[in-house]
Amino acid sequence: MKRAADDLGVLLCAAPIGAAASAAFDGARLREDFPILRRTVHGKPLVYLDNAATSQKPQCVIDCEARYYCELNANIHRGVHSLSQQATDAYEAARDTVRRFINAARREEIVFVRGTTEAINLVAASYGQRLKPGDEILITEMEHHSNIVPWQLLCERSGAVLRVAPIDEAGELMLDGFEHRLNARTRLVAVTHVSNALGTVNAVKRIIDLAHAKGIAVLIDGAQAAPHIKIDVQTLDCDFYAFSSHKLYGPTGVGVLYGKAALLEAMPPYQGGGDMIRQVTFAKTTFNDLPYKFEAGTPHIAGVVGLGAAIDYVSALGLDAIAAHEHELLAHATEQARAVCGLRLIGTASDKSSILSFVIDGVHPHDVGTILDDEGIAVRTGHHCAMPVMEHFHIPATVRASFALYNTRAEVDALFRAVRKAQRMFVDGRSA
Ligand SMILES: *Cc1c(COP(=O)(O)O)cnc(C)c1O
């Protein structure tokens, strides 16, 4: 059916206005796109430096989701009525947006899920069915729990063995140790693109080439990479790539699993239900084509549409410009951190994303976090869902500041003023 140009489904995902169109990257100006950044915490302006946990949402994403509910809400892939068709168009347009964003060859290779966690669980449950006792899965010591636990569960079910490639004192993967653990029994390699606890950017292309040389499939956990690094799944040649919308300025509850069509084709369904079937009888059910075979039930339609708007926003700014800005902030923060005596950086890899993890002698990270919160500064304190990383460095937790496109140098300065205040209070016993 032909649609009018002023169709709501088309307008809904229209590219964002304002800042995104401006030529020069202006962090301070871009802040205006994020309404939450206007609020205060304990009477101080919010300094949001917990972007690796989740990023804030620009107005265009919020508007896009609201407009979906105000103007098009219907279930998708079901009705012949106009609303259902327009909702389907908006949902499928977001799939095309994701395909372009990561340069997948085909739209069928984009599966919408709840987030990185579900994407990895999908692969473990479905691809994992081919694993036999004695087969091996290789991960690294710097993985997020969501790229550890699904494999442990799979190992329990299948009798496969989980092997772990070590990291060094800088928090870099030891490539020789990794290569050493690839063998004839390895069935899958699952590695994070960027460590959420350390900021380390892994040489994923090299990792993928090493695994492929032995005929081993590779899953990349891209949760921390998607907001910062231009991803090209065809150049990487990864077999699976997973990321979450909410760390990419999009809504919570949505994520993406990219999988090579031939692999997804050969994999059994993950969940059964509506939308994933072709024909159901009590004797036998046949399954729908890709990607619908892996999208059982009503998905988070509004969230998917919102993710499309978030990708449009980020793409209009340019990931390279965003990364350059964030690297500048990271360099500034690293320099300030090095000037604080008693502060130890955790994660000093030569290639790092905009994450600064640290500990301070004599002050528990949670106490640092509390003092920072009093100043309106949001950082993450804890093990960052990467307990093995904490164990590696013999620490219980770190303070983690993570930067996004809207952060400024002034915010980095505020962070270190507050860090010094915490140090004065706890170490020197002086009140600030
Ligand atoms: C956040 C994160 C995950 C999990 O993502 P969810 O959105 O919570 O599913 C997995 N891996 C890394 C590296 C992460 O940072």
Side-chain angles (χ1 to χ4, degrees), residues 115-117 144 146 192 194 196 221 223-224 244 246-247:
T116 306
T117 304
H144 186 282
S146 67
T192 195
V194 173
N196 68 306
D221 171 351
Q224 294 296 340
S244 299
H246 71 97
K247 292 178 179 173

Side-chain angles (χ1 to χ4, degrees), residues 110-310:
I110 307 300
V111 178
F112 288 120
V113 290
R114 276 197 303 128
T116 306
T117 304
E118 189 179 39
I120 297 172
N121 276 278
L122 188 163
V123 175
S126 173
Y127 186 83
Q129 285 188 31
R130 65 181 71 178
L131 266 66
K132 307 262 177 313
D135 284 350
E136 295 182 4
I137 301 163
L138 179 57
I139 62 170
T140 81
E141 204 181 350
M142 72 173 89
E143 299 310 315
H144 186 282
H145 295 165
S146 67
N147 200 25
I148 301 174
V149 184
W151 308 120
Q152 288 174 326
L153 294 171
L154 171 60
C155 286
E156 276 172 34
R157 288 196 298 274
S158 64
V161 179
L162 187 65
R163 304 208 60 196
V164 183
I167 59 174
D168 64 16
E169 281 316 290
E172 290 186 4
L173 178 65
M174 297 169 78
L175 264 181
D176 48 348
F178 171 81
E179 198 173 355
H180 183 70
R181 284 168 179 79
L182 285 175
N183 62 54
R185 293 179 302 279
T186 315
R187 291 289 166 268
L188 185 72
V189 167
V191 176
T192 195
H193 196 157
V194 173
S195 158
N196 68 306
L198 302 164
T200 308
V201 180
N202 278 317
V204 284
K205 178 68 187 144
R206 177 109 182 86
I207 289 168
I208 292 162
D209 289 347
L210 286 170
H212 282 180
K214 294 198 156 80
I216 303 161
V218 182
L219 174 142
I220 302 295
D221 171 351
Q224 294 296 340
H228 309 288
I229 298 172
K230 181 87 198 89
I231 295 152
D232 183 329
V233 291
Q234 292 187 76
T235 303
L236 284 177
D237 197 29
C238 53
D239 300 280
F240 301 104
Y241 197 98
F243 63 96
S244 299
S245 156
H246 71 97
K247 292 178 179 173
L248 182 60
Y249 310 101
T252 55
V254 175
V256 171
L257 173 68
Y258 158 83
K260 282 184 180 165
L263 278 170
L264 292 178
E265 219 52 273
M267 284 159 55
Y270 168 52
Q271 294 177 325
D275 227 23
M276 55 76 72
I277 51 88
R278 173 159 299 128
Q279 192 175 23
V280 177
T281 69
F282 287 116
K284 182 168 172 58
T285 291
T286 52
F287 303 119
N288 204 341
D289 296 329
L290 290 178
Y292 312 110
K293 180 172 87 177
F294 290 110
E295 293 182 2
T298 303
H300 184 1
I301 306 166
V304 164
V305 170
L307 168 60

